[in-house]
């Protein structure tokens, strides 16, 4: 019963963007950092079992930004007592990504993009009900200042197809 009570805190979500000054018209990256509590896992975005609930990152298009691509890393193959087959799961710290474009003509200042993460957390025995966490991605928009890279070690983990040309 402990797991059910604490289900709200099995996954923590944080986010950051790749530049400290995003310009109108510029494409930039957002990293969504998941921390899955020890002893739990969540399914990856493309679970092998059709009955398993995938982890899905939703980022809202808005008047200021458009979503170009969402990136999901591959999970780890594992087997648990509640499933006959191997599953592909995220555990520990996981980095998802969104490739975003700031629209031309947006005003300078801090902007917020609405986002949500839906997932189902399980321990080795059983699964909690599916959950959705709403959160916001803060984007510093600047008209003139040149942006500096923010935490490149995080962003080098994101492999966007759109950028690999």
């Amino acid at each position: 019963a402990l797991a059910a009570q604490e289900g709200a805190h099995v996954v923590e979500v944080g986010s950051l963007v790749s530049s400290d000054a995003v310009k109108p018209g510029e494409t930039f990256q957002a990293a969504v950092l998941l921390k899955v509590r020890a002893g739990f896992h969540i399914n990856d975005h493309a679970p092998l079992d059709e009955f398993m609930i995938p982890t899905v990152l939703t980022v809202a298009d808005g008047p200021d930004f458009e979503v170009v691509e969402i990136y999901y890393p591959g999970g780890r193959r594992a087997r648990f007592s509640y499933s006959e087959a191997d599953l592909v799961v995220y555990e520990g710290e996981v980095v998802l990504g969104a490739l975003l474009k700031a629209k031309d003509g947006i005003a300078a200042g801090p902007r917020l993009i609405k986002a949500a993460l839906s997932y189902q957390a399980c321990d080795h025995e059983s699964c909690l009900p599916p959950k959705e966490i709403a959160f916001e991605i803060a984007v510093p928009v600047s008209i003139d200042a040149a942006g500096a890279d923010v935490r490149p070690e995080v962003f080098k983990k994101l492999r966007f197809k759109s950028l690999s040309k």
Side-chain angles (χ1 to χ4, degrees):
L2 189 63
Q5 288 165 16
E6 299 184 12
H9 308 294
V10 171
V11 178
E12 286 176 44
V13 179
S15 65
L16 64 155
V17 294
S18 54
S19 172
D20 63 3
V22 171
K23 291 195 171 41
E26 191 170 53
T27 299
F28 63 99
Q29 300 177 30
V32 176
L33 312 170
L34 311 186
K35 254 192 188 138
V36 183
R37 194 202 312 198
F40 286 87
H41 56 269
I42 60 179
N43 295 306
D44 86 348
H45 180 62
L48 299 173
D49 181 332
E50 60 181 329
F51 297 109
M52 294 291 160
I53 294 190
T55 293
V56 178
L57 170 62
T58 312
V59 181
D61 279 318
D64 294 339
F65 301 98
E66 65 179 281
V67 180
V68 180
E69 187 184 333
I70 301 283
Y71 165 79
Y72 298 94
R76 178 179 89 79
R77 283 182 88 105
R79 181 166 285 199
F80 301 97
S81 57
Y82 60 81
S83 168
E84 298 286 302
D86 277 8
L87 301 177
V88 185
V89 300
Y90 295 146
E91 296 167 313
E93 297 193 4
V94 186
V95 184
L96 311 183
L99 188 61
L100 303 165
K101 185 174 196 285
K103 295 190 180 173
D104 291 325
I106 70 173
R111 294 270 174 277
L112 292 173
I113 302 177
K114 289 194 181 312
L117 182 82
S118 58
Y119 65 90
Q120 183 169 32
C122 306
D123 62 14
H124 294 286
E125 299 296 321
S126 61
C127 294
L128 295 166
K131 249 189 109 57
E132 182 170 281
I133 298 178
F135 64 101
E136 290 176 320
I137 300 169
V139 183
V141 176
S142 172
I143 303 301
D144 40 21
D149 286 349
V150 174
R151 293 187 54 193
E153 78 283 357
V154 171
F155 288 96
K156 71 170 190 244
K157 296 178 182 171
L158 304 179
R159 309 241 180 268
F160 292 105
K161 292 188 184 73
S162 326
L163 298 180
S164 62
K165 294 184 178 75

